[in-house]
Structures are given as C-alpha cells and as structure tokens.
Amino acid sequence: MPPLPKSFHTSYPDADSAIDRRIPDFPIAQLLDEDVYFNTHKPPTYLGEIEAEISEFIDYHIKNTGKKVVLVTSGGTTVPLENNTVRFIDNFSAGTRGATSAEYFLELGYAVVFLHREFSLLPYSRHYSHTTNCFLDYMTEANNRVEINPNFADEMLVVLRKYNAAKESNSLLLVPFTTVNQYLYTLKTISGVLSKLESRALFFLAAAVSDFFLPHSRMPEHKIQSQTSGTLIVNLEQVPKFLSRLVDNWAPTAMIVSFKLETDSLILIKKAIGALERYQHQLVIGNLLQTRKKEVVFVTLKDENWVRLTEEQIGKNVEIESIMIPKVIEAHDQWIKSKQNN
Ligand code: PAZ
C-alpha cells in the first residue's frame, strides 16, 4: 500500500509558536547546553505523530523481519530568522549522499528511517526529481496513450523494481524536517525509539546540520523590516553538540557514524579525529566539498582509509556510496558481534 500523505509540512512556519517572551533568553554556554536547548525551544507540534509512525515501523521489523535498522539523515537544516519565516539561513546540501546511501542500505537488507530535509532528494525518486529534464521528458505519446520514453525505460525498470521491493517489504520510512529545531527534536525522538534495537541500530548522520542558530527568544515574530535599521546584524548562538548526547544517552549501544565536511584538505583528518575523541563514537567519514562524490575517508581512532573512485569507475557513473555502504555494514556487523561478546 502506498504510504499515506503526511498531515503536515515541515516547511510551513509553526503558527502556534508565535514569539513567547516568557521563555528566558538563551543563556551563554553552560555545562548542559543540550538540556538548556530543549528547555528553551518548543518541540514541533507534529512530533507525537512522527513518534507513533516510527514506533510502528520499528515494532513491525522487530516482529516480522528481524532486519537491522539504519537511520540515515540527509540534506541541510535551515535557521529561520523570523518566526513567521520569510528569511532563513540555509546550506548547499541537496541530500545526494543520504538518498543514494539509503538505496544501498535497502538493497543490502536494512530497514531505513530516512530523516531528510523536506523536498530534498529522496531514495529512488532522486533519479528523476531534481534533474534538468522536465518529468514529461521521460514520457512519450504512442497510440493516444502516455508511455515511458524508450530511451529511459530500461534504466527506469531497474529503479522501479528496487523501489517496489522497498515499498512492499515496508523497509523505508520517510521522515521530514526543515529547521534545525525540527531536526534536533526529531533526531532525539527517533533515537529513543531506535535504542530498542540496541547494537542492531545504526546511525548514519550525513545531514548538513547548522552549527549556528537564532534562539527562539531572540527571534522576531514578523518579517524583519528593511526601513528600521538599514543594515542587518544577526547574532547567532552555537548549536549545542548533540552527538555527545546521542552517544552517551539517547542510543548508547547503537553504532554511530558521523560525517565531517571540510573545504580545506589540510584539516580534514585532524577534525575527524577531533570529533572521535570528543564524542567517542565509532566512525567518522570525512569528505571535502570539492571532491565528495569521488573520494571519502573512513577515520577511526586506529586508522584512516580512503575510498576513491577510479577514472574508469567515474566514466561508468559508479556511485561512491555503492563502495562505502558495504564497508559501513561490515563495520556495523563487527560492532554487533563485539556487543554480543560482551
Ligand atoms: O547532500 P550532498 O550529497 O550534496 O552533501 C553531502 C554532505 C557533504 C553534506 C555529507 O557528505 C556530509 O559531509 N555531511 C556532514 C556535514 C557536516 O560536516 O556537518
């Protein structure tokens, strides 16, 4: 059965959360920044609906399939500058890494919770949705009927079969976010549900999450007026580092893979090791903005391993995720074994 359309859109501003001055201003860095964050920022109104959906999905797989489950996060978070949001800060991520990885996880037997920026790339539809072609270019007219253009038909059949397999086995759950606040609350909620699976849960955190945000208490209710000040100075706070909470409290026995994006090759490995030392999780996949589709580096506290496409593979449009994901799964299987031996 096709999934029912969701009753909400994360991209619409939350009408209920007009600025509430009773909420104290966001305090400057404190010991438990993550808790302060959740105390001073409201959860999205639809969170309960998402929690119910995820619980049903996870329980289905526990009872019926015994599949390992991966949470793939994908696409960029926005930082609204106004409560009734006209303007927001965004980032470049289209969700290619996440959507592509999700397909390979599905193919290799995982159930996938796909936490993605609404309207970014999705598994399977990514092959057609954001191309420079109009979707009608994939069609042709024959005998007064619409048919698939034969130029695309063979490739589309392959994608269609994989899509149907994922749908029929109820292995893909799509969960949207738009703002960084929605992302953080939803990640926390999903982690709570996934923690039931203990080491059989995998977190694959490929989303590009904002490092800075505008606290709710400082957010204007209405559109910022250009006449008022002439220049616009925005004073942003640092988003608390939620990875430590995820590792220590939300899903302590799951395997956690985070991504590190840099633009300067000289600091990539150092930053990846820094993240591992700070959060004590299992794997950081490093990538550079300029080369992310051709090479990535798997960094642990023991070693670093580059995965690079050869010129021949690039010529044949091999996707780097088709090489990355089996390696991640191998590491996850070892993680599960190590937990069983404990
Ligand atoms: O979405 P995309 O395929 O264009 O980009 C993927 C990516 C570079 C955002 C991802 O691989 C990544 O590195 N995510 C983490 C970004 C960060 O360091 O916060």
Side-chain angles (χ1 to χ4, degrees):
M1 215 183 55
L4 291 173
K6 298 209 186 305
S7 66
F8 56 84
H9 274 293
T10 60
S11 49
Y12 296 169
D14 184 355
D16 288 347
S17 64
I19 199 82
D20 181 350
R21 294 284 170 211
R22 288 166 307 176
I23 296 177
D25 197 5
F26 191 80
I28 304 158
Q30 286 189 3
L31 207 53
L32 296 173
D33 284 348
E34 308 85 28
D35 297 334
V36 174
Y37 181 91
F38 287 118
N39 287 337
T40 51
H41 291 83
K42 290 185 190 170
T45 48
Y46 56 78
L47 200 60
E49 198 177 320
I50 285 190
E51 185 168 16
E53 231 181 351
I54 293 165
S55 296
E56 194 183 326
F57 182 78
I58 299 299
D59 289 346
Y60 173 84
H61 285 288
I62 291 176
K63 276 194 205 111
N64 299 294
T65 70
K67 285 185 176 190
K68 292 173 281 182
V69 179
V70 59
L71 170 71
V72 177
T73 70
S74 182
T77 60
T78 68
V79 174
L81 298 183
E82 298 134 343
N83 193 57
N84 288 291
T85 312
V86 174
R87 302 186 184 91
F88 54 87
I89 299 172
D90 205 348
N91 67 59
F92 75 97
S93 171
T96 316
R97 174 83 75 222
T100 311
S101 302
E103 283 185 24
Y104 290 107
F105 277 119
L106 286 159
E107 232 174 278
L108 293 168
Y110 275 69
V112 175
V113 179
F114 189 65
L115 177 59
H116 66 283
R117 165 77 175 273
E118 191 168 35
F119 307 124
S120 67
L121 291 174
L122 294 177
Y124 308 113
S125 74
R126 76 180 169 103
H127 298 271
Y128 310 102
S129 60
H130 291 47
T131 70
T132 44
N133 284 351
C134 164
F135 80 97
L136 292 170
D137 291 332
Y138 297 104
M139 321 281 176
T140 187
E141 189 182 328
N143 306 322
N144 261 343
R145 291 168 64 89
V146 176
E147 287 181 2
I148 297 298
N149 182 333
N151 295 337
F152 300 106
D154 288 349
E155 206 182 299
M156 213 179 252
L157 181 63
V158 175
V159 179
L160 180 68
R161 284 185 177 148
K162 290 180 185 170
Y163 170 66
N164 282 339
K167 217 165 54 166
E168 281 154 19
S169 60
N170 183 30
S171 295
L172 176 60
L173 180 68
L174 303 180
V175 182
F177 66 81
T178 296
T179 66
V180 65
N181 187 55
Q182 292 168 338
Y183 173 85
L184 294 173
Y185 266 105
T186 313
L187 176 66
K188 183 177 182 220
T189 300
I190 296 176
S191 310
V193 180
L194 248 63
S195 64
K196 271 193 212 175
L197 288 157
E198 301 191 343
S199 62
R200 293 181 67 76
L202 171 64
F203 286 71
F204 187 83
L205 305 174
V209 181
S210 329
D211 286 328
F212 301 97
F213 78 115
L214 184 62
H216 192 247
S217 59
R218 292 217 299 265
M219 198 183 286
E221 181 180 355
H222 291 294
K223 184 183 169 209
I224 299 168
Q225 296 298 309
S226 57
Q227 300 95 318
T228 338
S229 63
T231 57
L232 175 63
I233 296 168
V234 184
N235 193 1
L236 301 175
E237 297 290 340
Q238 243 190 54
V239 172
K241 301 294 182 199
F242 286 91
L243 203 47
S244 58
R245 265 284 185 270
L246 180 61
V247 176
D248 295 339
N249 305 103
W250 298 346
T253 45
M255 175 165 170
I256 293 167
V257 180
S258 73
F259 275 76
K260 175 61 72 188
L261 174 73
E262 291 299 338
T263 56
D264 178 354
S265 61
L266 297 178
I267 63 171
L268 180 62
I269 302 286
K270 200 172 95 192
K271 295 294 287 280
I273 292 174
L276 287 165
E277 285 172 346
R278 184 167 185 178
Y279 306 118
Q280 299 290 312
H281 59 306
Q282 290 70 51
L283 174 64
V284 173
I285 302 181
N287 54 176
L288 293 167
L289 182 70
Q290 304 87 326
T291 55
R292 68 191 189 281
K293 297 195 178 168
K294 291 192 294 198
E295 59 176 20
V296 298
V297 57
F298 281 44
V299 184
T300 66
L301 285 178
K302 286 200 206 105
D303 54 14
E304 63 193 68
N305 286 301
W306 284 90
V307 175
R308 289 194 173 97
L309 291 180
T310 61
E311 285 307 318
E312 196 189 343
Q313 288 170 322
I314 293 169
K316 288 184 179 158
N317 290 330
V318 172
E319 294 175 313
I320 194 164
E321 291 78 6
S322 69
I323 305 169
M324 290 165 64
I325 301 310
K327 289 186 187 299
V328 172
I329 293 178
E330 204 182 301
H332 187 207
D333 287 340
Q334 278 171 14
W335 172 256
I336 295 170
K337 266 198 208 126
S338 74
K339 291 284 153 189
Q340 282 162 349
N341 294 339
N342 276 342

